[in-house]
Amino acid sequence: MNTATRKTQEHFGQTLQQVQRLLQRHKLVEGMVHRQDMPRHELVEKLVHRQHLAELSLKLDRLHPADIADLLEALPQPDRLTIWELVRNERDGEILLEVSDAVRESLLSAMDSREIIAAAGRLETDELADLAPDLPEHVLSEVMRGLGEDERAQLQSALSYAEHEVGAIMDFDMVTIREDITLQTVLRYLRRFDDLPANTDKLFVIDRDRGFKGVLPLTRLLLNAPDRRVAEVMARDAVTFAPDGRADDAARAFERYDLVSAPVLDSNQRVIGRLTVDDMVDVIRDDSDVLSLAGLKEEDLFSSIWKSARNRGPWLALNICTAFVASRVIGAFETTIAQLVALATLMPIVSGIGGNSGTQTMTLIIRGLALGQITGGNARRLIAKEMGIALLNGMVWGAALGLIAGWLYRQPPLGLVMMGAMVLSLQVAALAAILVPLSMQKLGRDPAYGSSVLLTAITDSMGFFIFLGLATMFLI
Amino acid sequence: MNTATRKTQEHFGQTLQQVQRLLQRHKLVEGMVHRQDMPRHELVEKLVHRQHLAELSLKLDRLHPADIADLLEALPQPDRLTIWELVRNERDGEILLEVSDAVRESLLSAMDSREIIAAAGRLETDELADLAPDLPEHVLSEVMRGLGEDERAQLQSALSYAEHEVGAIMDFDMVTIREDITLQTVLRYLRRFDDLPANTDKLFVIDRDRGFKGVLPLTRLLLNAPDRRVAEVMARDAVTFAPDGRADDAARAFERYDLVSAPVLDSNQRVIGRLTVDDMVDVIRDDSDVLSLAGLKEEDLFSSIWKSARNRGPWLALNICTAFVASRVIGAFETTIAQLVALATLMPIVSGIGGNSGTQTMTLIIRGLALGQITGGNARRLIAKEMGIALLNGMVWGAALGLIAGWLYRQPPLGLVMMGAMVLSLQVAALAAILVPLSMQKLGRDPAYGSSVLLTAITDSMGFFIFLGLATMFLI
């Protein structure tokens, strides 16, 4: 148990296996208990059964909420609910915050209103705001009634922001001080707290109206003489955020300036909340989640077949439509193919390589857009560069494939058509790979989402069209 | 200038545009200066020219190193070098640390040994270790000679770890204290520092031999009475790391336990370094980088066509090979296609949908593997679930496409073959989508890298084989 790296991975694997083993035994015993042919042993088995559950329960009590959340994610629905029932009620809230949306839904559906209200009642306002969209209407209003006036206002404000905005992620738990007091007074003031909010690396300095004046990093508080005043020691050029800013921009700022916490100011420069690095890490993780590239929303690994199929349906349907369009392009050339069947054999190579080379270019462009590196000023230069690469690749690989095709079918003109089609379709792919994400961005959409379907639709259809078109012109 | 969100994105966009404008003017003037037909104005223009550069230089001095790095990434090579020359030499080192590997290479190639040595000399040991792999051999040994004995040992130790290991990422800059002193003494000790290392949220408590005893969070130092002893107040159950642990596991632990800094211990439980959240954020960002999915190493947006083509070449070549194999599968059925050309039109639909549905499944599996959610115990259940979804999708979409195909070609048996092929090829795709990443993992390879090529190779070839095979059996 000497290192957390081992703790987190190996240990989590071990825990998962232990839990699976205990669940297995529990189910075996339960199976025996239910069998009617051995009533004599019933009592004994019920005891064993209870003992396993007690062992499991003890194990769960010792785990960090994040670890229990991972455990729940990794278990199929019935086992998940067995474990969920064993978790002490006081911990329900913090665990619900840690699991994915899909798993949270499955856990909430197994709780009654009373349990949900109790769990929600134990959370901070900003945590409650995270949970709120998943709670049933009547439960939410019940929880609202239980809040103080300030907290209710905070919750309503947090809920008024969209999921990707800073206001939806900020917390309300922070330490503020005035600028005209001495560090000694600050130190004395802090000692009255039982604990500081997590990730407190600086105190926020405000005036009488909560107007933001600057920040006092804890290190400056520690390093300076106690008789100095906050105003002399504080930093005035702190990085601050607006509640309607984008969360992923804020996350980039945290990355760029190595922040641990930062104040959120309203339009009158008043401090209304705080961002912390732990929430930003989650934003970064979600931001670069590969799921969205595959057209998937977050999906519970063990959700029902029906639910999963529904989650993946729209994307698949979209793909079927584009595949159908590409197929109709081929259909237009059926008389050509009937005269030279080799074309049917070779055409998927042209369209496939176009799609692939385009995806490489598009990935770089999407990344450059996300990092703000692509502007109107250099877009034209990028197009020229990418088309240059496509020309080079088209000539080299087109020549190679053309030679092989010409030799395979003993028909040199077929090889030339192959090479010409490769060059042209890679040009089209490069152009589409730049223009598709740029247009998405111009239209105010996320260029990462959906670009790949559109690109493949273009490279497939155009690849078939160019190859079969050239063949019709020159070979038939 | 009221919020950093605006500062970071809009402001960066503005800065980039301003710099581009200044560079533009600078180039115009330079062009005039070089034209021989207007010698009279030469002096004036040289002055204007200098003035633009001075303005640029002033602008750069005010920017954060991370912002200059972004600026360099977003400029083509000649402009990039103009800016790089204007950056004050003292800042070279910190900027080199912030840029991507590809851009770093282009900047280093424009510096002479003396400049590189000067820049490297200003860095901390752990920063130097990040830069070292990119430095020329003789420069590195020169820099090594300039280091003290301790620092040289640290650098050598850091260089002895692989890039993905904790030891390569840890820094050596930390504050350690003994457990038998009072908090008052700690406070007095800290005031002797000019500054604490970045991201210091806790002090490490050690014994005489640097043996790790626990951590003293700054908040506990602030909240407790000054006459208490460190041993009474410190946390003994701190999360620690081993230098040979995986960096991405450590990053997950930082995420999971909301850490800001944590000690790295050797096998004798001695403190040898420190991990901080800013480095972990970079690991998370790289970890989920979309580039590797497209088979790309980090690439400079403005590198030469030749260099880029070489970077993307191997992946493209691999794809051409798999496309060629799929094409040979079609080639085996040329006599079938010659008898029924509609097959050539319809076959890309079958292979395309298989690839797509397989990619969805594989994305979920790769993510589940990364999160440690998939074990031997639940793999079989996942296979059953995914094949169930594939069966459902195959029947629904297969029936729809079968109806359309049968109607388009007035040939109901063709529709039935289409439907059967969809069902079967989606089954194959689901199976491959699970087994490919699982096998990669078993072989100790990163399941995210290269799995998609292998999957597409299987779904393409098998899609064509199943569809054309069924057609040969039932339609010819």
Side-chain angles (χ1 to χ4, degrees):
Chain A
M1 206 216 68
N2 62 335
T3 70
T5 308
R6 279 174 213 154
K7 242 192 255 169
T8 43
Q9 281 295 340
E10 284 174 32
H11 196 238
F12 177 67
Q14 277 170 22
T15 307
L16 183 54
Q17 273 165 26
Q18 281 170 15
V19 169
Q20 280 170 337
R21 217 156 34 228
L22 283 168
L23 280 166
Q24 193 56 40
R25 266 189 245 151
H26 159 61
K27 274 186 275 190
L28 279 179
V29 176
E30 212 172 35
M32 283 194 269
V33 170
H34 288 153
R35 263 194 277 159
Q36 294 298 321
D37 46 295
M38 38 192 346
R40 265 198 318 160
H41 297 284
E42 207 170 294
L43 191 67
V44 182
E45 272 128 21
K46 266 197 177 147
L47 282 174
V48 177
H49 171 194
R50 250 188 238 148
Q51 190 203 322
H52 286 148
L53 288 184
E55 203 177 321
L56 258 175
S57 176
L58 214 66
K59 181 136 208 71
L60 291 174
D61 281 351
R62 281 195 302 259
L63 288 178
H64 190 280
D67 294 326
I68 299 185
D70 277 1
L71 198 59
L72 293 170
E73 302 264 352
L75 291 173
Q77 187 70 357
D79 291 351
R80 187 183 286 163
L81 293 183
T82 308
I83 295 293
W84 185 231
E85 274 166 33
L86 289 178
V87 171
R88 273 188 300 121
N89 291 337
E90 304 99 270
R91 306 186 73 190
D92 283 1
E94 45 183 3
I95 295 167
L96 283 174
L97 284 176
E98 299 274 353
V99 295
S100 66
D101 289 350
V103 170
R104 184 185 295 163
E105 202 183 300
S106 82
L107 296 177
L108 283 173
S109 67
M111 298 168 78
D112 61 31
S113 304
R114 201 181 38 76
E115 286 173 315
I116 300 179
I117 292 168
R122 280 193 198 84
L123 298 177
E124 306 269 345
T125 324
D126 65 299
E127 295 172 331
L128 201 48
D130 291 344
L131 209 57
D134 297 324
L135 296 180
E137 194 79 38
H138 70 281
V139 169
L140 187 57
S141 55
E142 179 79 21
V143 172
M144 285 272 214
R145 266 199 295 282
L147 293 176
E149 200 173 321
D150 280 6
E151 287 168 313
R152 200 175 314 140
Q154 285 172 353
L155 179 58
Q156 269 156 353
S157 129
L159 290 177
S160 70
Y161 293 102
E163 208 184 340
H164 65 273
E165 287 180 327
V166 165
I169 295 170
M170 66 185 183
D171 65 48
F172 304 99
D173 214 16
M174 57 194 143
V175 181
T176 54
I177 51 171
R178 294 291 173 77
E179 60 179 329
D180 53 359
I181 56 176
T182 63
L183 299 188
Q184 183 64 55
T185 314
V186 176
L187 288 170
R188 234 180 302 127
Y189 172 61
L190 289 182
R191 281 190 201 118
R192 280 196 262 153
F193 285 82
D194 290 328
D195 205 357
L196 296 185
N199 290 306
T200 297
D201 70 323
K202 51 174 74 87
L203 311 178
F204 302 158
V205 186
I206 57 173
D207 62 20
R208 219 165 276 277
D209 307 314
R210 294 194 74 77
F212 178 70
K213 309 299 284 182
V215 297
L216 179 68
L218 294 189
T219 52
R220 292 205 190 177
L221 174 61
L222 289 165
L223 263 47
N224 284 284
D227 58 344
R228 298 189 70 183
R229 288 189 180 276
V230 170
E232 300 167 49
V233 174
M234 71 183 190
R236 287 169 202 277
D237 59 345
V239 179
T240 64
F241 296 89
D244 56 351
R246 288 178 58 89
D248 51 356
D249 289 344
R252 291 224 174 255
F254 266 70
E255 245 181 297
R256 193 184 282 254
Y257 306 117
D258 296 344
L259 302 174
V260 172
S261 74
V264 179
L265 309 185
D266 67 10
S267 52
N268 299 318
Q269 299 293 96
R270 278 179 314 198
V271 177
I272 55 168
R274 188 179 73 128
L275 287 181
T276 53
V277 68
D278 56 329
D279 291 328
M280 292 298 114
V281 167
D282 294 340
V283 171
I284 292 171
R285 180 72 76 183
D286 290 347
D287 192 22
S288 34
D289 200 322
V290 288
L291 288 188
S292 76
L293 286 179
L296 293 171
K297 283 192 293 262
E298 205 168 53
E299 185 177 312
D300 177 358
L301 218 47
F302 298 100
S303 66
S304 70
I305 289 181
W306 182 241
K307 237 182 187 167
S308 295
R310 236 177 15 195
N311 184 22
R312 305 182 200 175
W315 190 261
L316 210 57
L318 189 59
N319 269 283
I320 286 173
C321 291
T322 67
F324 191 75
V325 170
S327 157
R328 292 325 299 154
V329 171
I330 304 174
F333 292 95
E334 276 180 7
T335 47
T336 305
I337 296 175
Q339 285 171 268
L340 186 58
V341 180
L343 297 175
T345 304
L346 297 172
M347 66 185 185
I349 301 184
V350 177
S351 67
I353 305 304
N356 216 277
S357 144
T359 301
Q360 289 190 327
T361 299
M362 198 174 70
T363 309
L364 281 168
I365 299 295
I366 288 176
R367 195 160 174 273
L369 283 173
L371 294 172
Q373 292 173 350
I374 296 176
T375 61
N378 57 25
R380 206 171 304 171
R381 181 186 284 265
L382 278 176
I383 293 179
K385 180 194 157 189
E386 289 301 325
M387 298 202 43
I389 299 173
L391 187 65
L392 184 65
N393 277 331
M395 307 241 279
V396 172
W397 296 110
L401 285 169
L403 274 175
I404 297 177
W407 172 79
L408 262 177
Y409 291 96
R410 318 269 172 235
Q411 225 178 322
L414 180 61
L416 284 174
V417 163
M418 182 89 190
M419 178 173 166
M422 282 283 285
V423 170
L424 283 178
S425 69
L426 288 193
Q427 292 291 310
V428 171
L431 202 59
I434 297 178
L435 295 184
V436 165
L438 277 181
S439 321
M440 289 271 192
Q441 171 109 336
K442 274 249 166 74
L443 295 173
R445 296 193 41 194
D446 177 0
Y449 193 82
S451 284
S452 76
V453 191
L454 206 53
L455 178 71
T456 321
I458 295 173
T459 53
D460 273 2
S461 302
M462 288 303 293
F464 292 136
F465 178 77
I466 290 168
F467 180 59
L468 296 174
L470 286 179
T472 309
M473 282 200 288
F474 297 109
L475 301 179
I476 304 302
Chain B
M1 205 214 71
N2 63 334
T3 70
T5 308
R6 280 173 215 155
K7 242 191 254 169
T8 42
Q9 282 294 342
E10 285 173 30
H11 196 238
F12 178 67
Q14 278 169 22
T15 307
L16 182 55
Q17 273 166 25
Q18 281 169 16
V19 169
Q20 279 170 338
R21 217 156 34 227
L22 285 167
L23 281 166
Q24 194 55 38
R25 266 188 246 151
H26 160 61
K27 273 185 276 188
L28 280 178
V29 177
E30 212 171 37
M32 283 193 268
V33 172
H34 289 153
R35 263 194 277 156
Q36 294 298 322
D37 47 296
M38 38 193 344
R40 265 198 318 159
H41 297 286
E42 207 169 293
L43 192 67
V44 183
E45 271 127 21
K46 264 196 178 149
L47 283 173
V48 176
H49 173 192
R50 252 187 238 149
Q51 191 203 320
H52 285 147
L53 289 184
E55 203 178 321
L56 259 176
S57 177
L58 214 67
K59 180 136 207 72
L60 293 174
D61 281 351
R62 281 195 302 258
L63 288 177
H64 189 280
D67 293 326
I68 298 184
D70 277 0
L71 199 59
L72 293 169
E73 301 264 352
L75 291 173
Q77 187 71 355
D79 292 349
R80 187 183 286 163
L81 293 183
T82 309
I83 295 292
W84 185 229
E85 276 166 33
L86 289 178
V87 170
R88 274 187 299 122
N89 290 338
E90 305 99 87
R91 307 187 71 188
D92 283 2
E94 43 181 5
I95 294 168
L96 283 174
L97 284 177
E98 297 275 354
V99 295
S100 66
D101 288 351
V103 170
R104 185 185 292 163
E105 202 182 298
S106 83
L107 295 177
L108 283 173
S109 67
M111 298 167 79
D112 61 29
S113 303
R114 198 182 39 76
E115 287 174 314
I116 300 179
I117 292 168
R122 280 194 199 82
L123 298 177
E124 306 270 345
T125 325
D126 66 298
E127 296 172 332
L128 201 50
D130 291 343
L131 210 56
D134 296 324
L135 297 179
E137 192 80 38
H138 69 281
V139 170
L140 186 59
S141 56
E142 179 78 23
V143 172
M144 283 271 215
R145 266 199 296 280
L147 293 176
E149 201 173 319
D150 279 4
E151 287 169 312
R152 199 176 313 141
Q154 285 173 353
L155 180 58
Q156 269 155 352
S157 129
L159 290 177
S160 71
Y161 292 102
E163 208 184 337
H164 65 272
E165 286 181 328
V166 165
I169 294 170
M170 67 183 180
D171 64 48
F172 303 99
D173 213 18
M174 58 195 139
V175 181
T176 54
I177 52 172
R178 294 291 174 76
E179 60 178 329
D180 53 359
I181 57 177
T182 63
L183 299 189
Q184 183 65 56
T185 315
V186 176
L187 287 170
R188 233 182 300 126
Y189 171 62
L190 289 182
R191 286 195 194 114
R192 280 196 261 152
F193 284 83
D194 289 327
D195 205 358
L196 296 185
N199 290 307
T200 298
D201 70 322
K202 50 175 76 88
L203 310 177
F204 301 159
V205 185
I206 57 173
D207 62 20
R208 218 166 277 278
D209 307 314
R210 293 194 73 77
F212 178 71
K213 308 300 283 183
V215 297
L216 179 66
L218 294 190
T219 52
R220 292 203 190 179
L221 174 60
L222 287 166
L223 263 45
N224 284 285
D227 57 342
R228 299 188 70 181
R229 290 190 178 277
V230 170
E232 301 167 47
V233 174
M234 71 183 190
R236 289 168 201 278
D237 59 344
V239 179
T240 65
F241 296 89
D244 57 351
R246 289 178 56 89
D248 51 355
D249 289 345
R252 288 218 176 260
F254 266 69
E255 244 182 297
R256 193 185 283 255
Y257 306 118
D258 297 343
L259 303 174
V260 171
S261 75
V264 179
L265 310 185
D266 68 10
S267 52
N268 298 320
Q269 299 292 98
R270 277 180 315 198
V271 178
I272 54 168
R274 186 179 74 128
L275 286 182
T276 54
V277 68
D278 56 328
D279 291 329
M280 292 298 115
V281 168
D282 294 341
V283 171
I284 292 172
R285 181 71 78 182
D286 290 349
D287 191 21
S288 33
D289 200 325
V290 290
L291 288 187
S292 77
L293 286 179
L296 294 169
K297 282 191 295 260
E298 204 168 55
E299 186 176 311
D300 177 358
L301 218 45
F302 298 100
S303 66
S304 69
I305 289 181
W306 182 239
K307 234 180 187 170
S308 294
R310 236 178 15 198
N311 184 22
R312 307 183 200 174
W315 191 261
L316 210 56
L318 189 58
N319 269 284
I320 287 174
C321 292
T322 66
F324 191 75
V325 171
S327 156
R328 292 324 300 153
V329 172
I330 304 174
F333 291 97
E334 276 179 9
T335 46
T336 306
I337 295 175
Q339 288 172 263
L340 185 56
V341 181
L343 296 175
T345 305
L346 297 171
M347 67 187 182
I349 301 184
V350 177
S351 66
I353 305 303
N356 216 277
S357 141
T359 302
Q360 289 191 326
T361 300
M362 198 173 72
T363 309
L364 282 168
I365 299 296
I366 288 176
R367 194 160 175 273
L369 283 172
L371 295 171
Q373 293 174 350
I374 296 176
T375 61
N378 57 25
R380 205 170 305 169
R381 179 187 285 264
L382 278 176
I383 294 179
K385 180 194 158 188
E386 290 299 326
M387 298 200 45
I389 298 172
L391 187 64
L392 184 64
N393 277 330
M395 305 241 279
V396 172
W397 297 110
L401 286 169
L403 274 176
I404 296 177
W407 171 80
L408 263 177
Y409 291 95
R410 320 269 172 235
Q411 227 179 321
L414 180 60
L416 284 175
V417 164
M418 181 88 192
M419 179 173 166
M422 281 284 285
V423 171
L424 282 179
S425 69
L426 289 192
Q427 292 292 308
V428 171
L431 201 59
I434 297 178
L435 295 183
V436 165
L438 277 180
S439 321
M440 290 271 191
Q441 172 108 333
K442 275 249 167 75
L443 296 172
R445 294 194 41 194
D446 177 1
Y449 194 82
S451 285
S452 76
V453 190
L454 206 53
L455 178 71
T456 319
I458 294 172
T459 54
D460 273 0
S461 301
M462 289 303 292
F464 292 137
F465 179 76
I466 290 168
F467 180 59
L468 297 173
L470 286 181
T472 310
M473 281 199 288
F474 296 110
L475 301 179
I476 305 300

